[in-house]
Amino acid sequence: MSLEPGGAERDTLALRLAEPRPPRPQDRTNPPRPSHPQDRPHPQESPHPQDPPQSQDPPRPPRRRPRWALDETTLAIRLPRTGPDEEAVSELAAELADRIGPAVHPYEVAALLEAEGLSASVIRERYGHPNLFSLASALYARVPRTFPEPPAAPDPWRPDTVRCLLRGVLFALPALAYLLIAPLWRVDRHAPVLIVAGVVSWAWGQALGHRAHLRLVAGRREACGTLLTGSLTGTAVATGLAVLPAGGDPGTVAAGAAVAAVQSLYLAAAGVLLVLARERLLLAALSPLIAGAATLPWWEPGPVVRAGLPLLALLATLAVTARVLWAGLAVPAAADGSVPPLRASLPYGLFGLAAAVLVLLEGRRHPYAVIALTLSMGPAEWLLYRYRGWSVAALRASATPGGFLLRSAGVLGLCLSAYLLLVVPAGLLTGAGPVTLPLLAAALWTALLLQAFGVAWPPAALCLAAAATAGAVTWLDLPPGPAVLPLACGPVALGLAACAIRLLGRPSPHA
């Protein structure tokens, strides 16, 4: 607009649109052509059409002056934004890429933006999007999907190594009592009484332990009440049945009943402490036995000390058990008073009976092999925990049921092989051989594994069949004689392993 005809250029007001924002980096290779007349070079900056070229070089396009170089006679007008600010959106996507990538829906990105404190006005003014969900959809489409692995969860079945090894030692420590009192009594006279009492106590303890664990779900008071009643009843039953093979004069029967009662009382009290996880208290109660047996190679303690130390250990065990049960019974009763049926613990008792008979048959020929097998129960329990932990890890790493079945079979083979690597040398050192003791140990460990998952009847049935067969052959002195034990335990071990692969090779028991 000329203010005065023929006036100077500085008296002219020039209107010019502000330059648009620079394009995104991927679009700079093909810049758009100017579409507005205002974006073209100013007429004063163009060369005169009649002037001849000063050189043979090709003409260069006019250079656009930057916005900050406009003179004071030019007024810049900025048009309103007509779309999203791609550069700002790209910067936001790069900033939040690590949290946008794992999202499975734009709504997750919208929740993230809300958590970042982006208001509706900021979204419109800074990023050019009409609302939160529009910006979230743009960010979701801009950032590629990433699916990082979740952090490793803690192993819920991580075993307590010290506790497992201690339990194996506690299973074998009572044998020190027989070592101390061996010169004071005739083993051939009271051995049948102790065997019957031990077998009955073993079977009763297995059933009582299972029932006590069921009652622990309701509360500690209910479990302690079950253990108190069950242990006293089991002691009476074991003592009563042990007197039957005593026979003879009343003095022999009374002595047999006293020996059976002492053994049954200890087994019942020790079972209570083991169920309630009081292994260290039981170890402290058995310290007189440990001290007395440790001095035997160098010192003869005499009959009073030999008889007094086992009696002191028994009294300490009973006192500790009474204190633990009293503390448990002082806890308030649980609101749920439902009692599980007795038949639920029956297969566990039958398995305990069968296991006791099989171990007894092996102990008749190789008593030290039984001690080695008893000590191996600590590593066996540790491997039971490891199997459950490794099975959970295999379940997380498997994508198909078939893949988990293969991994589960591999975990079973690994745990069973590790256990047998401990038992085979023990069998060779004790003279039991490399076959009988490992087969018996494999059958017992696999049966305990199935019981840990609540599968009780298959182990009980198979082990009872093996015990009945081996016991009948041994009792009646039928062929194949001593070879019946490995022949009976071998099929049981294979059958239990196949049952474990079939039942535990599914994801549901481990979920």
Side-chain angles (χ1 to χ4, degrees), residues 431-447:
V435 177
T436 304
L437 189 63
L439 288 178
L440 176 59
L444 295 179
W445 186 86
T446 313

Side-chain angles (χ1 to χ4, degrees), residues 193-194 197 235 238-240 242-243 255-267 314:
V193 174
L194 294 178
T235 300
T239 304
V243 175
V259 171
V262 168
Q263 177 180 271
S264 301
L265 273 175
Y266 170 77
L267 292 178
L314 173 63

Side-chain angles (χ1 to χ4, degrees), residues 47 81 120 168 240 259 272 278 327 347 373 399 421 428 434 449 470:
R81 183 180 296 156
V259 171
V272 170
R278 293 295 188 269
L373 181 63
L421 286 177
L428 295 176
L449 174 65

Side-chain angles (χ1 to χ4, degrees), residues 185-254:
W185 64 308
R186 294 183 57 182
V187 180
D188 56 348
R189 177 178 300 179
H190 299 291
V193 174
L194 294 178
I195 290 174
V196 173
V199 170
V200 175
S201 296
W202 195 341
W204 190 276
Q206 290 290 317
L208 179 60
H210 174 261
R211 186 166 181 80
H213 279 99
L214 292 180
R215 297 293 285 157
L216 273 175
V217 177
R220 194 168 187 85
R221 178 188 178 94
E222 287 71 20
C224 289
T226 300
L227 287 172
L228 178 60
T229 305
S231 59
L232 294 178
T233 306
T235 300
V237 172
T239 304
L241 293 177
V243 175
L244 297 179
D249 57 286
T252 304
V253 174

Side-chain angles (χ1 to χ4, degrees), residues 15 43 51 86 110 127 148 179 190 214-215 226 269 316 344 354 364 387 425 433 451 479-480 493 506:
L15 298 179
D51 293 341
E86 300 295 337
Y127 302 104
L179 184 63
H190 299 291
L214 292 180
R215 297 293 285 157
T226 300
R364 292 178 68 252
Y387 174 85
Q451 287 183 349
R506 300 174 297 174

Side-chain angles (χ1 to χ4, degrees), residues 383 409-425 442 445:
L383 287 171
V411 171
L412 176 63
L414 177 62
C415 294
L416 192 56
S417 300
Y419 181 50
L420 293 181
L421 286 177
L422 297 175
V423 177
V424 170
W445 186 86

